[in-house]
Amino acid sequence: MDRTESLLITVAAPFRHLRKERLQKSEFIFYLTIDRMWMSRDQAALLLQRAEGEGLIRISGGLIEPLFAVASVTAPLGFKPTTVIFEEQDPYQVQIERVTRVTGRSAPEVTAEVAALVHDQFDGHLSPEAGLVLLSRRYGVPISDTLASLRTSARKGRKKVD
């Protein structure tokens, strides 16, 4: 099971078990820390940050609302999240995954569209990160939380687009 799937199952579990569309922050943390004993309070708070940053939930006025179909997520028997859910993902990959969710296209297709944008419209004078930002905005994909990291990555010149 990969990090994204494990994170999705972990976030969906309290909503499914409590059969609610929205949860108080305290209910969510209680479920993960006391009810399931999956993690500490600090880890649960970090999980909330990660989930919000990856566009899985919205936190407003102390209420947590999932931004995905909770009913479509099922946990395998005996599921317990591992520490991999707390690891920070590459912002470029996070943004690619978001675009794939919104457009319904595969990651290689989205990556190819970024490459085409960079090469065809900017003659290769645009970083792949900047191309991804433009593509994200074109499709209305949230980007505010990954923008600073993508900017830093572009300055380092890490990504190559073929």
Side-chain angles (χ1 to χ4, degrees), residues 119-150:
H119 290 297
D120 298 345
Q121 294 182 14
F122 294 91
D123 294 326
H125 298 292
L126 187 70
S127 72
E129 293 86 355
L132 182 56
V133 168
L134 292 174
L135 197 65
S136 296
R137 290 201 170 139
R138 177 183 296 167
Y139 292 120
V141 178
I143 193 159
S144 60
D145 62 314
T146 58
L147 192 56
S149 298
L150 287 169

Side-chain angles (χ1 to χ4, degrees), residues 96-110 113 139 141:
I96 290 284
E97 287 176 18
R98 288 179 186 172
V99 174
T100 63
R101 281 196 299 264
V102 168
T103 63
R105 298 164 66 210
S106 70
E109 289 174 318
V110 172
E113 188 171 356
Y139 292 120
V141 178

Side-chain angles (χ1 to χ4, degrees), residues 7-129:
L7 181 62
L8 198 61
I9 292 169
T10 305
V11 170
F15 294 100
R16 286 185 58 101
H17 186 259
L18 299 172
R19 296 186 178 140
K20 291 185 176 182
E21 292 180 12
R22 290 179 195 85
L23 291 173
Q24 293 286 334
K25 192 174 179 179
S26 59
E27 289 177 297
F28 188 90
I29 291 174
F30 180 87
Y31 179 85
L32 297 172
T33 60
I34 306 296
D35 190 277
R36 294 293 155 184
M37 293 189 281
W38 282 347
M39 60 192 71
S40 70
R41 290 183 57 79
D42 290 341
Q43 288 173 322
L46 181 58
L47 174 75
L48 282 173
Q49 285 179 338
R50 293 278 192 265
E52 185 177 33
E54 294 185 26
L56 297 176
I57 60 171
R58 175 181 25 241
I59 302 174
S60 177
L63 285 177
I64 302 168
E65 181 180 359
L67 300 176
F68 61 95
V70 171
S72 68
V73 178
T74 55
L77 191 60
F79 172 80
K80 183 174 180 178
T82 62
T83 58
V84 72
I85 64 172
F86 302 112
E87 294 174 5
E88 195 145 353
Q89 274 191 306
D90 175 19
Y92 190 85
Q93 289 305 316
V94 168
Q95 203 59 38
I96 290 284
E97 287 176 18
R98 288 179 186 172
V99 174
T100 63
R101 281 196 299 264
V102 168
T103 63
R105 298 164 66 210
S106 70
E109 289 174 318
V110 172
T111 303
E113 188 171 356
V114 169
L117 179 69
V118 168
H119 290 297
D120 298 345
Q121 294 182 14
F122 294 91
D123 294 326
H125 298 292
L126 187 70
S127 72
E129 293 86 355

